[in-house]
Amino acid sequence: MSTVAAISTGQAAGGIGIVRISGEDALSVADRIFKSVSGKKLKDLKGYTAAYGKVYADGNEIDEAVALVFKAPKSYTGEDVVEISCHGGLLVTKQTLRAALSAGAAAAEPGEFTKRAFLNGKMDLTSAEAVMSIIGAKSENAKSAALNALDGALYRKINAVSSSLKKTAAQMAAWVDYPDDEIEDLSDENLSGVLLGCKKELGELISRFDIGQAVIEGVDTVIIGRPNVGKSALMNMLTGCEKSIVTSVAGTTRDIVEETVSLGGAVLRLADTAGLHETGDAVEKIGVDRTKKKAERAALILAVFDYSEKLTQEDEAIIEICKGKNAVAVINKTDLKRKIETEKITSRFNGTVFISAKEQAGLTELEKELERALGTAEFDTSAASLMNERQYSCCKLAEESVNEALEALRSGVTRDAVNVSIDCAIEKLDVLTGERATESVVNEIFSRFCVGK
Ligand code: GDP
C-alpha cells in the first residue's frame, strides 16, 4: 500500500498539531523532512521511540518538532507510522504536511488510517465504526457505549453467534459429505436449539437498537406551547446551564438548524430552534396544524405550560396534540403564584415536571424525567450494542435467515434448505464484522470519517 499523510489534529490553532505518515515508506519520507538533533535517522530508531529535532521543507526550517516512531505491525494502522508533533498553528502543520507530500507521501483519504488498520487486521469493522462514534460522541453514555464497542463487545457477541452457526453448518456438511464415516448427525432438537439460541441473541441486540440510538445519536425533540409560557426560556435553560453539553450544527439556510443538548443520559436533538426564537408564539402565529406537524415528526415532545395562569383553549389544543405521543409536560414559572389546574395536566401526561426557567429551578427533575421518558436510565452501556443502521440491518437480515432456517426445519424440508438459510445468516454476520464486507461497503463506511483519522 502507498504511503499516506494527513494532519490528525483538529483544523484549528492549538498547542500541538500532529501530522501522521503511514505506509511502507513512512520512515524514509519522514527522514527526508525531519532531522533529529542527535543526528540519528528515524529509520534506525526502535518502535515506540521519540526523537526531538526540526522539520524542513526545501532546505528551509519550518518548525521544531518531536517525531514519534511506530514500527509495523505495532502501530495504529499496522504499518510503519511516524507522527510528527509540531507547534499547533495551522500554518506550521499545513507546511509540515506539504513537506511530507513533496517527500513522497500521498494525501490520506478521509478515515484512511483507520481503514488501513481494518484492512491490516488490526481491528474489525465494528471497532472501526466505534472509533467514529467516539469522535462524534455527544454524551458520557454515548462515549461509554462506543468505547465498549471499540473494545470488541459487539464483535465478540456477533462472533459467538456466527461461530455457533459455522460449527453447526460444518457438522451438517460433514455428515452429508462423508456418509460412511461415523459422524454423528445433528438431531432436529439440537439443530433447533442452536438456531433458537442465535435467534435470542440477535433478537436482544435488535430490540435494544432504538434505545441505543437514543443514547448515541439523541432523539428528535420539539418544544411546543402557547405564546409566552416560556418555550424560549426553557430552551435557554437547557442550552445555557453548565450541566448540559450543547453542540450546534450549522445549517445552510439558517444560522442554526439543530442543537444537541446532553443532559444526564439523555441526548435531545432540538431541530428548528431558529423557528422557536423567531415566532415565539407557536399556536397563534404558526398555527395548530404546523405545531401538530412538528409534533408528529418528533420522537419526544416537551409541552410547556404556565404555572401562573389557568389553562386556556390553546393549552387544551396542545394537550390534545400530545395525546398518544411520547410527551413530557413542563410546567414553567413556579416562582409565581399557582393558577394552573395541575391535575388536568398530570392526569393526561405520563410525566410532568415543575420548573422555573427564571430561577433555573427544576433541572434535576427534568433530567430524571427525560431519562425516564427516553428509557436511557436503564440502558446498559457495558452491554454489546448495535451502533448504527448498517449494523442493525445486517443483524436484522441475519435474524430473518435464522428464522427461515427454523421454519425450514419445522416444515420438514431437506437439510439442504436449512443449510442455505444458515449460510445466509453467517454471511450477513460476516458482513457486519467486516470479515466479508465488499470493497464498496468498506469505502462507504470510511468515507464518513474525517481526514486524519
Ligand atoms: P415563549 O413565547 O413561550 O418562548 O416564552 P418566553 O420564553 O419568551 O417567555 C415569555 C415571558 O415569560 C418572558 O417575559 C419571560 O421572561 C417570562 N418567563 C419565562 N420563564 C419564566 C419563569 O420561570 N418565571 C417567570 N416569572 N417568568 C418567566
Side-chain angles (χ1 to χ4, degrees):
M1 255 186 276
S2 63
T3 297
V4 290
I7 298 171
S8 277
T9 36
Q11 298 291 315
I16 32 177
I18 298 177
V19 172
R20 187 189 261 160
I21 309 168
S22 177
E24 254 172 34
D25 298 327
L27 293 158
S28 42
V29 166
D31 271 329
R32 272 174 225 139
I33 63 168
F34 179 86
K35 304 269 173 281
S36 68
V37 287
S38 67
K40 264 197 182 167
K41 291 264 181 212
L42 294 176
K43 70 173 168 39
D44 298 326
L45 294 184
K46 279 199 212 136
Y48 299 133
T49 48
Y52 168 68
K54 288 188 172 150
V55 184
Y56 294 87
D58 304 324
N60 300 316
E61 182 187 324
I62 298 177
D63 192 15
E64 60 175 357
V66 171
L68 260 171
V69 172
F70 302 85
K71 293 254 169 108
K74 294 186 173 176
S75 73
Y76 182 70
T77 58
E79 305 169 333
D80 282 346
V81 169
V82 178
E83 286 182 2
I84 300 180
S85 305
C86 38
H87 288 110
L90 266 184
L91 178 71
V92 174
T93 34
K94 277 190 179 152
Q95 283 178 335
T96 305
L97 172 63
R98 244 177 266 142
L101 299 181
S102 320
E109 300 281 327
E112 185 153 2
F113 296 114
T114 312
K115 182 175 164 184
R116 286 177 177 222
F118 164 67
L119 294 174
N120 291 326
K122 297 290 286 189
M123 55 172 85
D124 76 297
L125 216 42
T126 64
S127 303
E129 286 176 305
V131 171
M132 190 160 60
S133 300
I134 290 169
I135 295 173
K138 296 179 192 82
S139 71
E140 196 54 45
N141 277 351
K143 192 193 71 184
S144 308
L147 274 173
N148 197 32
L150 178 65
D151 190 39
L154 178 60
Y155 176 75
R156 284 191 293 276
K157 182 107 171 172
I158 296 296
N159 205 29
V161 174
S162 102
S163 295
S164 81
L165 289 175
K166 280 173 187 165
K167 211 170 117 200
T168 308
Q171 199 175 344
M172 280 160 66
W175 185 76
V176 173
D177 291 347
Y178 307 102
D180 299 335
D181 291 4
E182 292 205 351
I183 296 170
E184 208 183 316
D185 185 20
L186 265 179
S187 68
D188 278 4
E189 286 73 33
N190 281 346
L191 184 51
S192 133
V194 170
L195 292 172
L196 285 170
C198 294
K199 180 183 157 90
K200 181 169 166 281
E201 295 285 334
L202 296 176
E204 272 171 17
L205 281 172
I206 290 165
S207 67
R208 279 166 41 84
F209 179 67
D210 281 339
I211 179 99
Q213 285 295 285
V215 169
I216 296 160
E217 299 290 337
V219 289
D220 288 323
T221 307
V222 291
I223 300 177
I224 60 171
R226 69 173 161 82
N228 285 322
V229 288
K231 297 180 295 298
S232 305
L234 169 63
M235 181 68 197
N236 292 340
M237 177 164 151
L238 285 172
T239 55
C241 76
E242 270 179 40
K243 239 178 160 180
S244 57
I245 308 164
V246 184
T247 340
S248 298
V249 182
T252 45
T253 53
R254 285 211 184 107
D255 285 350
I256 293 167
V257 287
E258 185 177 297
E259 251 171 315
T260 307
V261 176
S262 310
L263 197 59
V267 179
L268 311 182
R269 275 205 314 262
L270 291 149
D272 202 16
T273 49
L276 182 73
H277 295 297
E278 241 165 53
T279 59
D281 47 358
V283 181
E284 191 180 286
K285 221 171 183 177
I286 66 173
V288 176
D289 280 349
R290 267 199 65 189
T291 308
K292 237 186 212 165
K293 280 213 182 90
K294 258 173 92 171
E296 259 158 28
R297 282 197 300 267
L300 176 73
I301 302 169
L302 300 181
V304 187
F305 301 95
D306 190 330
Y307 185 78
S308 69
E309 287 179 11
K310 280 191 180 309
L311 287 174
T312 67
Q313 263 185 344
E314 284 170 310
D315 287 325
E316 287 292 345
I318 294 288
I319 295 173
E320 208 45 41
I321 287 171
C322 293
K323 227 184 202 170
K325 306 229 165 59
N326 193 14
V328 171
V330 180
I331 303 183
N332 184 35
K333 307 195 191 183
T334 53
D335 53 291
L336 301 176
K337 198 165 151 14
R338 181 176 77 87
K339 284 225 185 97
I340 198 171
E341 305 89 324
T342 316
E343 62 294 342
K344 276 196 185 165
I345 301 274
T346 50
S347 62
R348 284 147 93 184
F349 282 86
N350 283 332
T352 307
V353 195
F354 293 86
I355 66 160
S356 164
K358 188 181 168 195
E359 297 187 343
Q360 300 281 301
L363 201 63
T364 306
E365 289 72 18
L366 183 60
E367 179 181 329
K368 281 211 188 92
E369 188 49 43
L370 291 175
E371 286 184 344
R372 187 207 57 77
L374 300 176
T376 46
E378 289 90 50
F379 185 73
D380 177 6
T381 54
S382 66
S385 312
L386 298 166
M387 302 289 288
N388 54 42
E389 291 288 342
R390 183 194 77 83
Q391 296 176 354
Y392 175 76
S393 84
C394 287
C395 201
K396 195 88 186 133
L397 290 170
E399 188 200 36
E400 269 167 31
S401 296
V402 170
N403 280 338
E404 275 164 23
L406 274 165
E407 199 42 54
L409 188 63
R410 248 179 244 133
S411 62
V413 290
T414 62
R415 282 281 173 94
D416 275 357
V418 180
N419 226 344
V420 167
S421 296
I422 291 180
D423 278 346
C424 237
I426 294 170
E427 188 195 328
K428 298 297 179 292
L429 296 174
D430 281 352
V431 171
L432 201 166
T433 58
E435 221 163 290
R436 246 198 270 192
T438 61
E439 201 181 331
S440 64
V441 167
V442 172
N443 287 343
E444 213 278 315
I445 289 170
F446 290 101
S447 68
R448 281 181 269 133
F449 273 55
C450 44
V451 173
K453 188 65 231 179

